[in-house]
């Protein structure tokens, strides 16, 4: 019996194949008892003490044996993995190893190209890719935790300022009722309607609102030129009701209804900046008889415009960050996927810099400008108003319209002489009768101001506009960016208004003011 008890069991043999890991098993070794025939046939009173002690020990079941076998093999595999890990670390992952020296630069380039996926301010690309390839939300939440931990300290080791939260302000806009039952919110600046010498209607750009207008323009300057500036919220933005199926045609007629509702009896000017340019182009196309002229600042055109050449497209797209190109691709092909990105960025309830929310790369002057408190104050308030309704649909619509078929080409706005009918006879008649021919396109002036250091709307877009609309007056601005000439620049604003309207003549003097002035002069003479 002593030989059986002292022999090595299968568990001991397995344990001898690996080093001591410090793990101890509390289960007793398997005991094999071999009672004699006599001991089995005699009564319990005559059983020896040795046999009695063996019978009292419980026999290990098959389940316990399988469990012990699995634990032992797991221990072996664990030790094997540790050994392989140590070999790899010591042989391949040192700074002077062959593998690290060969893969270091290619890996760095790959990370630089794909950094927009892991950008702490742009989780949208990662989230969208996660949906497409079936990644679990658990991994996304883990990435959030990692990013938050990485951003606890900045480069200087100091704490990052607390994240600013979006505040929703009480409604205070003036609204009109449109023919289809929707309400449109608008804002008036400058002189009143009865004294306005010129009227300007301004659609806003993406992630903006009626509060933008001409940022930083002085009311005294508008009065000096006799200008009435009317800005409004696009459908679904600010306090304007959403449109069930809007396009650029409906956008132009919304502008027309607004002009009629606020008492613009004569033609008005259209002024737009950046993404608001497509609504200005739509007005020139669909309601040209109501538009006196257009003033466009870094106007964004459709980057997929059919008439653009390969060289112009290359010069345009090479200025944009990879994640911005990715967002344009989604807006054109899979616009519904933009919802996740928007809710992770500007619809998240947080405030951040404009270049981070919209994936911009800015020039030197723009970088300086957006750091100024007056720009930050305007941007925060304007963005809060833009996302007031908390709905991603109008933003998706705006992004989709920007890169989809506009329903017309810019070249169609070029002034052309078109005669009725085709063939030789109509052409011969047109030689003698001017009544049968008419001019098509937009007949009014078009001014485009383009910063040559603009990386949001690159100068190649202004070059394309000048090519397809040769009568457009393009003002190229050296060293200016996307915002630096249009925002908070008193001298620039004066130059702009002087270029469009000439010498300032002040507001229109109405009959009541003439009578009041005359009566005051008479009273002074009588006294």
């Amino acid at each position: 019996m002593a030989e059986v008890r002292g022999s090595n069991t299968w568990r001991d043999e397995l344990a001898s194949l690996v080093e001591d890991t410090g793990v101890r098993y509390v289960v007793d070794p398997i005991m094999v008892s071999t009672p004699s025939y006599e001991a089995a046939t005699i009564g319990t009173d005559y059983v020896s003490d040795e046999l009695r002690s063996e019978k009292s020990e419980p026999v290990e079941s098959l389940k316990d044996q399988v469990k012990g076998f699995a634990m032992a093999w797991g221990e072996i595999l664990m030790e094997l993995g540790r050994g392989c890990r140590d070999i790899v670390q010591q042989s391949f992952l040192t700074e002077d190893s062959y593998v690290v020296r060969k893969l270091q630069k290619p890996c760095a380039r790959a990370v630089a190209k794909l950094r927009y996926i892991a950008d702490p301010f742009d989780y949208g690309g990662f989230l969208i890719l996660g949906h497409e390839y079936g990644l679990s939300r658990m991994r996304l939440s883990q990435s959030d935790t990692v990013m938050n931990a990485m951003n606890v300290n900045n480069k200087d080791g100091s704490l990052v300022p607390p994240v600013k939260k979006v505040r929703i302000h009480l409604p205070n806009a003036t609204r009109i009722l449109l023919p289809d039952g929707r309400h449109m919110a608008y804002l008036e600046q400058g002189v009143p309607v009865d004294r306005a010498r010129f009227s300007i209607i301004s659609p806003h750009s993406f992630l903006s609102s009626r509060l933008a207008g001409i940022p930083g323009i002085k009311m005294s300057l508008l009065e000096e030129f006799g200008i009435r500036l009317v800005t409004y919220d696009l459908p679904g933005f600010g306090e304007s009701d959403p449109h069930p199926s809007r396009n650029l045609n409906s956008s132009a007629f919304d502008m027309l209804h607004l002009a009629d509702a606020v008492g613009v009896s004569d033609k008005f000017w259209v002024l737009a900046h950046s993404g608001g340019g497509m609504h200005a182009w739509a007005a020139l196309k669909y309601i040209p008889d109501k538009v006196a002229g257009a003033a466009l600042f870094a106007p964004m055109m459709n980057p997929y415009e059919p008439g653009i050449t390969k060289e112009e497209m290359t010069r345009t797209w090479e200025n944009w960050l990879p994640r911005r190109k990715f967002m344009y691709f989604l807006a054109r092909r899979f616009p519904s996927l933009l919802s996740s990105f928007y809710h992770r960025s500007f619809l998240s309830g947080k405030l951040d810099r404009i270049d981070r929310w919209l994936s911009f790369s800015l020039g030197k002057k723009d970088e300086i400008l957006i750091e100024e408190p007056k720009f930050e104050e305007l941007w925060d308030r304007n963005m809060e108003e833009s996302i007031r309704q908390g709905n991603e649909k109008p933003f998706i619509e705006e992004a989709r319209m920007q890169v989809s078929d506009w329903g017309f080409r810019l070249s169609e706005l070029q002034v052309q002489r078109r005669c009725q009918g085709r063939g030789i006879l109509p052409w011969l008649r047109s030689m003698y009768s001017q009544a049968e021919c008419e001019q098509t396109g937009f007949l009014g002036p078009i001014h485009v101001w383009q910063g040559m250091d603009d990386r949001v709307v690159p100068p190649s877009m202004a070059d394309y506009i000048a090519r397809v609309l040769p009568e457009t007056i393009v003002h190229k601005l050296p060293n200016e960016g996307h915002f630096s000439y249009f925002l908070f620049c008193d001298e620039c604003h004066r130059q702009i208004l002087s270029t469009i309207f000439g010498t300032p003549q002040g507001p229109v003097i109405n009959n009541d003011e003439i009578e009041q002035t005359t009566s005051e002069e008479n009273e002074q003479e009588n006294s």
Side-chain angles (χ1 to χ4, degrees):
M1 296 301 299
E3 292 179 358
V4 175
R5 190 182 297 273
S7 63
N8 292 335
T9 63
W10 59 268
R11 185 181 300 148
D12 296 328
E13 293 176 358
L14 289 176
S16 67
L17 298 177
V18 298
E19 298 178 358
D20 183 18
T21 62
V23 179
R24 298 292 183 266
Y25 297 101
V26 296
V27 182
D28 293 334
I30 298 176
M31 305 304 298
V32 181
S33 61
T34 56
S36 63
Y37 176 76
E38 294 80 7
T41 58
I42 61 177
T44 57
D45 295 335
Y46 299 94
V47 176
S48 64
D49 294 337
E50 182 178 0
L51 291 177
R52 188 183 300 275
S53 62
E54 288 181 6
K55 286 183 178 181
S56 64
E57 293 176 3
V59 179
E60 189 176 40
S61 65
L62 178 61
K63 179 180 179 181
D64 294 333
Q65 295 181 26
V66 173
K67 181 179 178 181
F69 182 85
M71 292 176 66
W73 270 107
E75 195 173 293
I76 293 175
L77 294 177
M78 185 181 297
E79 290 297 324
L80 180 62
R82 288 171 180 168
C84 294
R85 180 196 63 187
D86 294 338
I87 292 173
V88 171
Q89 288 180 343
Q90 296 172 10
S91 303
F92 298 99
L93 299 184
T94 58
E95 294 182 356
D96 57 346
S97 68
Y98 176 82
V99 174
V100 172
R101 283 188 282 106
K102 289 295 183 182
L103 296 181
Q104 186 175 14
K105 291 184 178 180
C107 289
R109 288 195 297 266
V111 170
K113 291 182 179 180
L114 297 177
R115 64 184 177 183
Y116 69 94
I117 295 179
D119 192 309
F121 301 101
D122 189 5
Y123 298 110
F126 189 81
L127 182 66
I128 293 167
L129 291 177
H131 282 301
E132 286 195 54
Y133 295 103
L135 296 178
S136 65
R137 290 186 177 272
M138 182 181 297
R139 292 188 179 275
L140 293 175
S141 62
Q142 291 174 352
S143 68
D144 285 346
T145 304
V146 173
M147 290 301 177
N148 290 335
M150 291 172 62
N151 287 280
V152 171
N153 296 324
N154 60 18
K155 296 180 179 179
D156 299 328
S158 59
L159 293 177
V160 175
V163 178
K164 293 186 295 184
K165 300 293 184 180
V166 170
R167 297 179 300 166
I168 301 302
H169 303 263
L170 293 176
N172 61 356
T174 306
R175 304 205 302 173
I176 62 169
L177 181 64
L178 298 173
D180 60 0
R182 292 181 293 116
H183 289 88
M184 174 183 286
Y186 71 96
L187 175 67
E188 289 185 85
Q189 294 175 295
V191 301
V193 58
D194 58 338
R195 301 188 60 194
R197 190 175 297 276
F198 304 103
S199 296
I200 299 177
I201 295 182
S202 177
H204 61 77
S205 58
F206 189 86
L207 200 53
S208 188
S209 72
R210 69 184 184 280
L211 302 181
I214 305 177
I217 193 168
K218 293 182 177 179
M219 295 301 103
S220 59
L221 185 62
L222 294 178
E223 293 177 0
E224 185 179 344
F225 281 85
I227 294 173
R228 182 190 186 206
L229 176 62
V230 181
T231 57
Y232 65 98
D233 290 330
L234 293 172
F237 291 75
E239 296 186 40
S240 288
D241 295 338
H243 192 291
S245 57
R246 71 184 179 111
N247 52 33
L248 289 182
N249 184 285
S250 66
S251 178
F253 281 94
D254 279 354
M255 201 181 304
L256 177 63
H257 295 316
L258 173 64
D260 293 338
V262 298
V264 179
S265 57
D266 201 357
K267 292 184 178 183
F268 58 86
W269 278 74
V270 179
L271 183 147
H273 174 249
S274 190
M278 66 175 173
H279 301 287
W281 294 122
L284 303 188
K285 170 62 180 178
Y286 295 114
I287 54 171
D289 295 338
K290 288 292 294 181
V291 180
L296 307 176
F297 302 87
M300 180 72 180
M301 52 165 280
N302 186 352
Y304 298 95
E305 174 86 10
I308 191 172
T309 64
K310 184 178 180 179
E311 180 184 358
E312 290 169 337
M313 181 170 288
T314 301
R315 289 169 53 206
T316 297
W317 284 82
E318 68 183 4
N319 289 276
W320 292 333
L321 297 175
R323 59 179 175 267
R324 188 180 180 195
K325 298 177 185 178
F326 181 64
M327 299 309 296
Y328 281 150
F329 167 76
L330 291 180
R332 183 171 173 84
R333 298 298 182 185
F334 309 102
S336 60
L337 296 180
L338 292 173
S339 175
S340 298
F341 171 79
Y342 293 160
H343 280 286
R344 301 285 289 187
S345 55
F346 54 80
L347 290 177
S348 64
K350 303 175 183 178
L351 294 171
D352 208 333
R353 288 174 31 139
I354 186 172
D355 56 333
R356 290 172 178 168
W357 273 169
L358 298 180
S359 304
F360 286 164
S361 175
L362 299 177
K364 294 181 179 179
K365 278 195 171 183
D366 285 340
E367 284 284 358
I368 296 174
L369 177 61
I370 67 172
E371 293 292 342
E372 295 185 6
K374 57 184 178 182
F375 181 92
E376 184 178 357
E377 181 181 358
L378 170 72
W379 159 248
D380 290 349
R381 181 65 183 92
N382 195 31
M383 176 186 161
E384 288 172 339
E385 189 64 24
S386 178
I387 63 174
R388 168 186 289 276
Q389 301 182 33
N391 186 8
E392 75 280 358
K393 184 179 178 181
F395 297 96
I396 295 176
E397 291 173 342
E398 193 76 2
R400 178 188 56 80
M401 285 194 300
Q402 184 67 73
V403 296
S404 302
D405 183 11
W406 286 6
F408 63 93
R409 297 188 182 185
L410 291 184
S411 57
E412 297 177 19
L413 301 178
Q414 183 178 355
V415 178
Q416 302 178 25
R417 188 180 177 212
R418 180 175 298 175
C419 300
Q420 298 178 358
R422 296 180 179 179
I424 298 178
L425 291 178
W427 179 77
L428 291 175
R429 291 195 196 99
S430 66
M431 298 292 292
Y432 299 98
S433 176
Q434 297 294 330
E436 296 185 9
C437 293
E438 61 178 359
Q439 286 185 322
T440 60
F442 181 69
L443 305 180
I446 303 176
H447 291 268
V448 172
W449 281 265
Q450 178 65 52
M452 301 310 292
D453 193 29
D454 191 340
R455 302 179 188 179
V456 181
V457 177
S460 56
M461 287 193 171
D463 294 339
Y464 172 76
I465 294 172
R467 180 172 66 83
V468 299
L469 297 175
E471 296 182 358
T472 299
I473 305 171
V474 179
H475 308 270
K476 296 185 177 182
L477 310 171
N479 303 320
E480 297 290 350
H482 190 66
F483 304 106
S484 59
Y485 186 80
F486 183 60
L487 281 72
F488 302 104
C489 179
D490 296 339
E491 181 182 354
C492 305
H493 295 160
R494 179 172 290 278
Q495 291 176 355
I496 292 168
L497 298 184
S498 298
T499 301
I500 299 174
F501 304 119
T503 304
Q505 302 179 22
V508 174
I509 301 177
N510 54 40
N511 294 330
D512 294 337
E513 290 180 333
I514 294 175
E515 293 178 358
Q516 183 178 359
T517 303
T518 304
S519 60
E520 291 177 355
E521 292 177 352
N522 293 334
E523 290 178 359
Q524 291 178 358
E525 291 178 357
N526 294 332
S527 62

